[in-house]
Structure formats: C-alpha cells, structure tokens
Amino acid sequence: MKPKRIVRTVISLSLLAALMAIIYSSQTSDSSNPHAAIPRETWIHGPKGHGYAVVNNQQPWKQCYECHEKKGLGGEAYCQSCHDQSGVKAAIPQRPAQ
C-alpha cells in the first residue's frame, strides 16, 4: 500500500472510533442531570460537592428544589428525608411565601 493510503486509512479508522465513543457516551449519561458526570460519593462528600453547593446557594428553591421536583424527587421533603437517613442535623431553607 502507498503511504498516503495508509495515512488515510488510519485517519478514517480514528474518526470512526471517535464517533462510536461519542455515541456510546451520549447514550450512557443523563444530560438533564447536572451531577451525572460526578460519581455519587464525590458529589455527596467531595470538596466541591453537595456541601459546597448548599453553603454557596442559600436560595435552593430557585435552583435545587425546582429541578428535584421535576425529577419527581420532591423539594424540601426530599432534602429532609436524605438528611434524616444520613443523620445530618441541618436546617433546610424553606421556600418563601409568595
């Protein structure tokens, strides 16, 4: 085979492999979940995980509760049930009266 043909074949196979990897990874992740790329243990206990988000987002009803409710998890009740299960004693910010 000529060198140009070998190079074209290698490039074509590389592009095909990359396309297959992209398709596979897009099928195995939940694009609607912003935490999907982070392992659960890292998200819950990591330095930039759940605790960091809570401390830096003092209005979870604007972001967290809404998304959790869309997922069918619930808002404040979901957070409270998780805290109860894990033994965390924390005040859950309440949604302001409208």
Side-chain angles (χ1 to χ4, degrees), residues 2-87:
K2 295 181 180 180
K4 284 185 178 181
R5 187 174 178 108
I6 292 172
V7 170
R8 276 190 261 150
T9 302
V10 168
I11 291 172
S12 296
L13 290 175
S14 299
L15 289 172
L16 182 62
L19 177 62
M20 289 172 43
I22 290 169
I23 290 171
Y24 175 77
S25 67
S26 70
Q27 297 299 316
T28 58
S29 66
D30 181 3
S31 62
S32 67
N33 182 356
H35 317 299
I38 306 167
R40 180 177 168 80
E41 193 61 29
T42 302
W43 168 245
I44 298 296
H45 301 293
K48 293 279 188 172
H50 174 264
Y52 177 82
V54 170
V55 168
N56 290 294
N57 177 12
Q58 295 299 315
Q59 299 176 344
W61 54 87
K62 288 185 175 180
Q63 183 178 4
C64 304
Y65 294 168
E66 183 178 316
C67 185
H68 289 171
E69 287 168 358
K70 283 181 186 174
K71 293 280 187 186
L73 301 171
E76 297 132 54
Y78 173 70
C79 296
Q80 190 60 54
S81 68
C82 187
H83 287 183
D84 291 345
Q85 288 175 10
S86 61

